[in-house]
Amino acid sequence: MGTMSEVVTSRPPAFEKKATTSQIPLSDKQKANTCSDQQNTQCSEKCDPNSSLQPVESFGPYFRLIPMSGQVKELQTIIRDKNTSRSDFKFYADRLIRLVVEEGLNQLPYSDLTITTPTGCQYKGLQFVKGNCGVSIVRSGEAMEQGLRSCCRSIRLGKILVESDLDTHEAKVVYAKFPEDISQRKVLLMYPIMSSGNTVIKAVNVLQEHAVDEANIILLNLFSTPAAARTITNAFPKMHILTSEVHPVAPNHFGQKYFGTD
């Protein structure tokens, strides 16, 4: 059967300047301790994958926003603008995708690794724990694959196709293809726009049918409505979800604009 299994089916106030401890001369020992404390704090901040993420309390502890900045807001604005050309849309969408993917990779497990530098020094660093894969929900989810590939060139990818029934409008899984050992992997599930949450729920159900633990799924998303966020977090409270914005109006034209089918 090969290596793959298949199934069909979001001017500080002026203060009076006062003397601070930094203005008081320190002994050499105090200076050393202060420097050590600062280094420990910086290391803790860098190594904590959730330190920069913004939790959305109403949707549970595992639903988070990437850090908001002027750059992120501009990208969101360009993507939502009806006057944005397709070439600009794709360019700026890829930039936002990359930001979300980079934050998503911070949620994966790391292990300690000591290497030797070209000068012969020992350096204590980190490396990814093997056993991760990406799964895109076709078709709009495929727009996020290149962003993931740009960060992890050798990562395995799977796909899920979910379509809505023309009569009942119920989402159903038509096709799914995964690495055969997906149950033993961390899964980066990619779907850029969540309006109702039904498509994601169907996709996660298929992953669970393949013995993927809910806690091992990290959903990478660009835009979500509050209704979709609530629906998905109620259904899968242990699943990690990362998005750039939660807004009542989602840019549902994303897939058509990105792939030029509008």
Side-chain angles (χ1 to χ4, degrees):
M1 295 180 63
T3 61
M4 308 288 280
S5 61
E6 300 184 12
V7 295
V8 178
T9 36
S10 132
R11 170 181 300 166
F15 294 99
E16 181 182 355
K17 188 175 181 181
K18 297 181 179 180
T20 62
T21 55
S22 61
Q23 297 170 306
I24 301 174
L26 298 177
S27 66
D28 291 340
K29 183 177 181 180
Q30 288 173 321
K31 289 179 180 179
N33 290 337
T34 300
C35 181
S36 177
D37 291 342
Q38 290 174 344
Q39 290 175 342
N40 290 336
T41 299
Q42 292 171 354
C43 180
S44 176
E45 291 174 349
K46 291 178 181 179
C47 296
D48 181 1
N50 298 320
S51 62
S52 63
L53 300 181
Q54 305 171 34
V56 184
E57 294 182 1
S58 59
F59 302 131
Y62 300 116
F63 188 100
R64 298 185 178 92
L65 299 175
I66 66 171
M68 178 53 68
S69 65
Q71 175 186 206
V72 171
K73 196 63 178 178
E74 182 195 30
L75 297 176
Q76 295 169 342
T77 303
I78 294 173
I79 291 171
R80 288 180 175 275
D81 189 350
K82 68 177 184 179
N83 297 317
T84 299
S85 66
R86 179 178 176 260
S87 60
D88 283 347
F89 183 95
K90 190 174 185 301
F91 176 80
Y92 292 107
D94 285 340
R95 285 183 57 191
L96 185 58
I97 289 170
R98 181 66 178 261
L99 293 174
V100 173
V101 168
E102 293 282 7
E103 287 293 346
L105 295 177
N106 282 331
Q107 309 307 304
L108 296 175
Y110 292 81
S111 62
D112 294 329
L113 177 67
T114 299
I115 53 90
T116 302
T117 71
T119 59
C121 297
Q122 296 295 301
Y123 179 82
K124 294 182 179 180
L126 296 174
Q127 66 177 347
F128 276 125
V129 173
K130 293 183 178 180
N132 306 308
C133 71
V135 173
S136 62
I137 302 178
V138 180
R139 179 179 188 190
S140 61
E142 293 177 304
M144 305 181 74
E145 290 183 357
Q146 185 55 48
L148 181 58
R149 285 281 194 202
S150 297
C151 300
C152 306
R153 290 182 296 176
S154 61
I155 194 168
R156 301 284 299 279
L157 293 180
K159 295 181 184 290
I160 301 175
L161 174 58
V162 179
E163 292 184 347
S164 296
D165 187 274
L166 295 178
D167 297 324
T168 64
H169 301 288
E170 181 183 354
K172 61 179 181 180
V173 177
V174 177
Y175 171 82
K177 186 175 184 180
F178 309 126
E180 61 181 8
D181 59 347
I182 193 170
S183 62
Q184 303 170 33
R185 295 174 179 262
K186 293 278 188 179
V187 178
L188 294 167
L189 182 62
M190 298 172 284
Y191 195 58
I193 310 299
M194 299 192 301
S195 295
S196 67
N198 293 333
T199 298
V200 170
I201 287 178
K202 287 293 183 180
V204 175
N205 285 336
V206 175
L207 289 172
Q208 290 182 323
E209 289 172 3
H210 284 69
V212 177
D213 193 324
E214 175 184 323
N216 286 337
I217 303 174
I218 302 170
L219 175 60
L220 304 183
N221 171 253
L222 302 186
F223 302 93
S224 175
T225 64
R230 192 168 295 107
T231 296
I232 296 171
T233 53
N234 286 341
F236 309 110
K238 295 180 181 180
M239 182 172 69
H240 295 260
I241 303 173
L242 191 59
T243 187
S244 80
E245 184 180 48
V246 178
H247 192 279
V249 180
N252 293 320
H253 64 291
F254 184 93
Q256 292 85 352
K257 191 89 169 185
Y258 190 93
F259 293 107
T261 58
D262 53 344

